[in-house]
Amino acid sequence: MPLYHTEDQAMLAETASQFIADEGAIAKQLRHLRDTECKDGFGTALWKQFAEMGFTGILVGEEDGGMGMGHVEAGIVLEEIGRNLTPSPFLTSAVVAATALGGASAELRGRYLPGLLSGDSVFAVAIDEGLKHRPERIACRAEKAGNGFRLSGNKDFVIHGASADMLVVAARTSGADDDREGITLFAVPRDAAGMSHDAVRLVDSSVATHTRFDGVELDGDAVIGEVDGGREVLNRMLMAGRVGAAAEGVGVARGAMDMTVDYLRQRKQFGKLIGEFQALQHRAAHLYSEVEIARAVVIKTQQLLDEGSEKADLMSSVAKAKVARAAGLSVREAVQMHGGIGMTDEYDVGLYMKRDRALQEFMGDAWYHAGRVAELSGY
Amino acid sequence: MSDLEAFRAETRAWLEANCPPEMREPVRDEEDVYWGGRNASFKSDAQKAWFEACLAKGYTVPAWPKEYGGAGLTPAEAKVLREEMTRINARSPLSSFGIWMLGPALLHFGTEGQKQRFLNEIARGEIRWCQGYSEPGSGSDLVSLQTFGEDRGDSWVVNGQKIWTSYADKADWIFCLVRTDKANKYQGITFMLFDMASEGVSTKPILLISGSSPFCETFFDDVKVPKSYGEDCPAQVGEINRGWDVAKYLLGHEREMISGAGGGDRTATIGAVLKRMVGEIDPVLRAELAMFDVDALAYTAMGEKFLDEIKVGKAHPAQPNMMKYAGTELNKRRHELMMAAGGSRALEWDSAETRGGQVARGWLRTKGNSIEGGTSEVMLNVISKRILDLPGA
Ligand SMILES: Cc1cc2nc3c(=O)[nH]c(=O)nc-3n(C[C@H](O)[C@H](O)[C@H](O)COP(=O)(O)OP(=O)(O)OC[C@H]3O[C@@H](n4cnc5c(N)ncnc54)[C@H](O)[C@@H]3O)c2cc1C
Ligand SMILES: Cc1cc2nc3c(=O)[nH]c(=O)nc-3n(C[C@H](O)[C@H](O)[C@H](O)COP(=O)(O)OP(=O)(O)OC[C@H]3O[C@@H](n4cnc5c(N)ncnc54)[C@H](O)[C@@H]3O)c2cc1C
């Protein structure tokens, strides 16, 4: 596959770009939701529109009524979400949870996918425990109880946890905390008794929860995939989430860069446009180069994932780490090159910096993924 | 099976049968590279066999049309061939400035007669070319060049000096920028081709920090260049006084080549290689290696994307400048890390263990990557101006 969009993908990109620039614009969504202290941290009306556009079903198989498309297409939507800083449950619901449900029984798919396709449901994923993304270690436990399980433990950084109709929870059903095997994934409905959320607003105005499971009773049919054999589906969720977050990060990086380059062409100091100063030109050109490379590794990884290539695992970490570096650079340069105005709440560049910070942590930061690249390469 | 898959299977079988095991070993030094030319000799039977097999198949220049010595592969087929060669670490059968630089310029600007003659000579490895661009007073500001060709009717008489001319002392012919109109800066340069054996051409090797002398000062002292080498085969490429267009076009290809794009699907990370070589790696250095490997693997994807896009006209015309900038800065970092991991052994200058100081010499050579073919600073200037559209750049 050549590393550019097919005709169909280019059409989707055009549609998504138009639609999200209009409906998902910063003033209309992010600022509005933030300033009205929306408790979900995203707009349900826009989520409905996403469904009408068919976006929510991109990664849902045709046999389940979805579009049966791939990560390249999901990434197209995510990049526009990133560029417009649109608060949306798309990444957790339509990418990560949808990937999990792809490995679930027909019964579970029938229970949850229609709500995703119609835009009536939102899903969250509960993987992290503690301050950093370390999915190798899972201590949250589900013990066999009768025909089902009893789930106990804590999860952190559960984005949209309190708003979600269903949470995909990675729990341990056997073995020690650090074991590779012994993981089981559960679809936990919002009204499950014994589940409680401590919702916290984050720096980017999104809302996450510290979620506690206190002997939550689950039927055997809440299990996604195999009991004790959940690691494989979990890994697929992680790859999807990493590449997805990377695609969104590219959007953030490009959005901030475009604002900056525009500003360099307008702002005058010392009787000149500041874009005439070579000190700034070279930094902008270096930034461009980093962002281009980040884009390239993202589309490469999306394609590998869609082809089912075994390289996708390594490359999803490369993509996440590379984008983290490039997007971090982009937002820092954006604020700096805007001078004083970059520090103001009124101006949007600061919002890019905040969103980037949250995306850095989601599904593992640059250090975690660089470490993974070293490990997978044998050093 | 699609045509492309069939081509891949066929290519794999052909490589298996024709690429000798020795030609799948990494290139260790200059000796391992076959440059062709009048005075060329093969270093080994394997090198000769590999070159001849490729020559017969048109694979010294796979994407060039068959009538000019190539195999006429489509872009997609050329990509498959490149991937399959990288997969088995096959060496390039023939390296030359003719293939990387002059060839593409001739394909674009040359007359039919020039293409028939020069492209076939390049494809067959018969003539080795060098590049006469830089002068002592004209480096980054190349357009200020002063080497002058006086019009004598059916010939020019060229006087002046070039510098940093890579392999001038080994080359058979030169493609050379010569001022033919002193009154006109940009439209007063002619892109000339002539024989380095011409009377009045002399070269003087320059010793580099790496201890080798691959490049020279090149002097032209009343060198007579005929205006024509036969029917439809003028000595200049493009129009007289319009050589700057050709020069810039060629620089795009040179930058692409130096950028290392199309290095293929390398997945061997430098961290893994160094760990095998030196054993223990300091944890802080390991972190740097890991960050480098992230950048290197991402850049490999960029190279692939760039080549895919350039083939269908989707790449920004100034994108080779970005590739050259990023690729050469990355390569310098790679060699810094190799030196760091190698410790005191990497410092050895002529020991047998280091094959005559290959690590240190290689490290020093890479410092030229961000200078040759246009410096990193000049690349950033071009990106600012042509891609980011920044003012007054
Ligand atoms: C937190 C904060 C507190 C402040 N408090 C005060 C205060 O109490 N009183 C007060 O008077 N001011 C205050 N300032 C203003 C501050 O001094 C200015 O913001 C600063 O001088 C930069 O000017 P500017 O914002 O107009 O940016 P600009 O000058 O427009 O700069 C924009 C960008 O262009 C770059 N640039 C500009 N000229 C050149 C050049 N020649 N070469 C290369 N790059 C160039 C800048 O480095 C910057 O990255 C404060 C600012 C901040 C952020
Ligand atoms: C290994 C090697 C092989 C080479 N092979 C060949 C060859 O085969 N044929 C040939 O013709 N030439 C060759 N060159 C020459 C090469 O093209 C020149 O060295 C290069 O163009 C830079 O010119 P210069 O050395 O005169 O440096 P200068 O142009 O004098 O540059 C000095 C410094 O100033 C910086 N600078 C210059 N202008 C600007 C600007 N506008 N903005 C910001 N910074 C600037 C440069 O980036 C550099 O850091 C080779 C060079 C090397 C190192």
Side-chain angles (χ1 to χ4, degrees):
Chain A
M1 279 295 274
L3 291 178
Y4 47 78
H5 290 151
T6 62
E7 243 167 72
D8 286 348
Q9 290 164 349
M11 260 168 58
L12 174 66
E14 204 167 305
T15 311
S17 148
Q18 268 294 331
F19 171 73
I20 297 176
D22 292 344
E23 298 302 323
I26 293 177
K28 205 166 184 172
Q29 296 289 333
L30 176 58
R31 283 189 184 279
H32 172 73
L33 296 165
R34 182 190 73 167
D35 298 344
T36 55
E37 286 176 38
C38 166
K39 71 168 181 24
D40 291 319
F42 64 87
T44 44
L46 183 65
W47 186 233
K48 274 283 216 189
Q49 284 176 288
F50 266 49
E52 282 157 22
M53 301 288 292
F55 294 167
T56 60
I58 285 179
L59 287 176
V60 176
E62 281 170 310
E63 64 283 6
D64 290 315
M67 312 278 281
M69 296 194 286
H71 293 276
V72 176
E73 286 84 359
I76 286 170
V77 173
L78 282 162
E79 187 173 335
E80 297 307 322
I81 286 177
R83 181 189 284 281
N84 294 284
L85 303 178
T86 312
S88 173
F90 185 84
L91 180 52
T92 56
S93 306
V95 178
V96 189
T99 299
L101 288 171
S105 64
E107 208 279 314
L108 274 186
R109 297 205 311 273
R111 192 184 310 170
Y112 290 114
L113 289 175
L116 175 64
L117 295 174
S118 65
D120 290 308
S121 302
V122 165
F123 307 138
V125 286
I127 298 170
D128 289 4
E129 300 172 5
L131 304 184
K132 299 297 280 187
H133 177 72
R134 290 287 177 275
E136 297 77 15
R137 182 169 197 283
I138 286 179
C140 188
R141 283 193 177 259
E143 313 215 305
K144 291 207 173 63
N147 284 337
F149 295 84
R150 182 178 293 122
L151 177 64
S152 295
N154 297 308
K155 290 285 178 181
D156 297 295
F157 200 28
V158 184
I159 309 288
H160 316 308
S163 311
D165 299 280
M166 183 272 280
L167 286 83
V168 179
V169 181
R172 179 159 296 289
T173 37
S174 69
D177 294 357
D178 291 310
D179 284 0
R180 194 183 176 283
E181 299 308 323
I183 302 297
T184 305
L185 297 171
F186 294 94
V188 180
R190 72 176 312 151
D191 52 8
M195 175 168 73
S196 60
H197 303 295
D198 173 14
V200 284
R201 189 171 296 277
L202 306 182
V203 67
D204 64 336
S205 307
S206 66
V207 181
T209 61
H210 299 285
T211 295
R212 189 173 166 74
F213 302 96
D214 211 352
V216 175
E217 307 270 356
L218 296 165
D219 287 347
D221 62 10
V223 172
I224 296 174
E226 303 289 318
V227 173
D228 284 346
R231 187 62 80 175
E232 208 203 314
V233 182
L234 177 59
N235 283 346
R236 264 187 276 151
M237 289 166 64
L238 294 175
M239 282 192 282
R242 287 161 184 169
V243 179
E248 185 174 340
V250 165
V252 171
R254 296 182 82 193
M257 178 172 76
D258 289 352
M259 276 191 82
T260 306
V261 171
D262 272 350
Y263 193 69
L264 297 183
R265 296 195 199 106
Q266 290 166 22
R267 169 75 172 166
K268 275 195 164 173
Q269 285 290 280
F270 301 99
K272 285 183 176 172
L273 292 165
I274 58 172
E276 291 178 59
F277 299 124
Q278 197 179 50
L280 300 188
Q281 289 177 344
H282 281 193
R283 276 160 56 189
H286 172 71
L287 171 60
Y288 166 81
S289 147
E290 289 297 290
V291 173
E292 281 292 284
I293 296 167
R295 274 177 79 193
V297 70
V298 167
I299 186 172
K300 176 74 189 175
T301 309
Q302 289 164 341
Q303 287 188 0
L304 289 172
L305 209 50
D306 288 337
E307 288 159 15
S309 162
E310 58 187 31
K311 287 183 204 150
D313 187 26
L314 171 73
M315 290 305 288
S316 66
S317 277
V318 173
K320 183 69 170 72
K322 182 69 198 184
V323 171
R325 304 277 279 186
L329 180 69
S330 183
V331 298
R332 286 190 299 273
E333 289 290 50
V335 170
Q336 176 64 21
M337 292 195 209
H338 276 80
I341 207 178
M343 289 294 294
T344 64
D345 182 71
E346 188 189 334
Y347 222 71
D348 289 340
V349 273
L351 299 176
Y352 281 94
M353 180 169 269
K354 293 176 184 182
R355 180 60 188 153
D356 170 63
R357 192 54 243 161
L359 273 177
Q360 298 268 345
E361 291 303 319
F362 186 72
M363 292 277 167
D365 64 10
W367 314 109
Y368 170 78
H369 284 293
R372 236 181 137 249
V373 168
E375 241 160 65
L376 292 172
S377 310
Y379 69 97
Chain B
M1 190 152 58
S2 77
D3 287 356
L4 212 54
E5 281 167 55
F7 178 76
R8 188 182 294 277
E10 199 183 297
T11 302
R12 206 171 269 200
W14 184 86
L15 286 170
E16 215 34 68
N18 289 283
C19 185
E22 299 94 311
M23 293 296 106
R24 306 180 192 195
E25 300 282 315
V27 173
R28 291 157 309 183
D29 53 43
E30 190 63 15
E31 284 272 277
D32 285 344
V33 180
Y34 182 63
W35 289 91
R38 285 175 189 148
N39 305 317
S41 62
F42 293 103
K43 187 192 170 192
S44 65
D45 291 343
Q47 194 182 55
K48 181 164 189 270
W50 176 225
F51 169 76
E52 283 170 357
C54 287
L55 181 62
K57 194 96 176 137
Y59 281 179
T60 57
V61 285
W64 291 8
K66 285 190 174 148
E67 63 266 38
Y68 307 137
L73 298 191
T74 64
E77 289 168 342
K79 182 173 180 179
V80 168
L81 174 61
R82 208 167 48 237
E83 283 167 358
E84 290 303 315
M85 284 180 65
T86 311
R87 199 178 58 84
I88 62 163
N89 285 321
R91 289 182 189 170
S92 175
L94 174 66
S95 297
S96 88
F97 291 4
I99 296 175
W100 302 320
M101 301 188 217
L102 180 62
L106 283 173
L107 282 166
H108 195 82
F109 292 96
T111 64
E112 188 52 36
Q114 286 175 324
K115 290 182 196 171
Q116 285 293 350
R117 171 173 171 180
F118 297 123
L119 291 179
N120 275 300
E121 286 176 353
I122 291 168
R124 293 195 297 263
E126 290 167 359
I127 294 293
R128 185 169 175 181
W129 289 86
C130 65
Q131 176 187 35
Y133 275 33
S134 306
E135 298 182 4
S138 305
S140 297
D141 185 16
L142 184 60
V143 78
S144 66
L145 62 94
Q146 300 294 323
T147 292
F148 186 66
E150 192 187 327
D151 194 335
R152 294 274 179 89
D154 55 3
S155 65
W156 279 291
V157 172
V158 177
N159 279 287
Q161 187 196 336
K162 296 287 173 183
I163 194 166
W164 323 129
T165 327
S166 298
Y167 307 114
D169 52 342
K170 300 196 173 70
D172 306 311
W173 277 59
I174 187 168
F175 50 93
C176 193
L177 296 181
V178 180
R179 184 157 296 289
T180 39
D181 180 353
K182 288 184 178 168
N184 210 327
K185 196 173 177 191
Y186 288 89
Q187 298 186 2
I189 295 171
T190 300
F191 189 106
M192 281 184 203
L193 312 175
F194 55 90
D195 196 323
M196 289 291 280
S198 309
E199 207 174 313
V201 179
S202 58
T203 60
K204 193 172 147 208
I206 303 169
L207 191 63
L208 294 190
I209 50 177
S210 58
S212 66
S213 349
F215 61 20
C216 299
E217 288 179 281
T218 305
F219 303 93
F220 306 124
D221 189 9
D222 282 337
V223 178
K224 190 171 164 196
V225 177
K227 282 193 180 167
S228 168
Y229 295 117
E231 198 184 331
D232 195 30
C233 195
Q236 93 280 351
V237 181
E239 316 247 309
I240 292 171
N241 286 329
R242 301 307 286 269
W244 187 241
D245 298 338
V246 184
K248 278 194 304 184
Y249 181 87
L250 183 145
L251 274 174
H253 283 272
E254 179 178 4
R255 287 169 188 171
E256 193 179 315
M257 185 270 296
I258 300 172
S259 77
D265 211 1
R266 258 173 297 166
T267 36
T269 58
I270 187 182
V273 172
L274 291 176
K275 169 96 185 238
R276 274 199 300 278
M277 271 166 51
V278 303
E280 201 61 17
I281 291 181
D282 172 272
V284 183
L285 176 59
R286 174 184 180 270
E288 282 236 18
L289 291 171
M291 277 301 178
F292 173 84
D293 279 326
V294 165
D295 286 336
L297 289 167
Y299 182 76
T300 301
M302 181 71 236
E304 187 184 342
K305 177 165 182 276
F306 168 69
L307 292 181
D308 285 345
E309 288 185 334
I310 211 162
K311 273 173 224 145
V312 293
K314 278 181 190 280
H316 191 290
Q319 197 79 327
N321 300 281
M322 184 285 275
M323 293 300 299
K324 202 246 166 198
Y325 166 68
T328 58
E329 293 298 330
L330 193 68
N331 202 35
K332 288 195 297 183
R333 239 172 96 202
R334 174 182 288 117
H335 284 262
E336 286 292 335
L337 290 169
M338 283 161 61
M339 289 301 287
S344 58
R345 170 54 49 86
L347 302 176
E348 292 175 11
W349 194 243
D350 37 30
S351 66
E353 284 80 359
T354 60
R355 294 178 42 84
Q358 283 303 318
V359 188
R361 290 167 194 268
W363 161 67
L364 289 163
R365 175 62 184 85
T366 59
K367 299 306 175 198
N369 296 158
S370 52
I371 300 171
E372 60 198 313
T375 67
S376 278
E377 291 74 23
V378 168
M379 296 305 102
L380 293 172
N381 288 345
V382 179
I383 296 167
S384 311
K385 178 174 161 188
R386 294 187 49 205
I387 300 182
L388 300 181
D389 198 22
L390 288 174

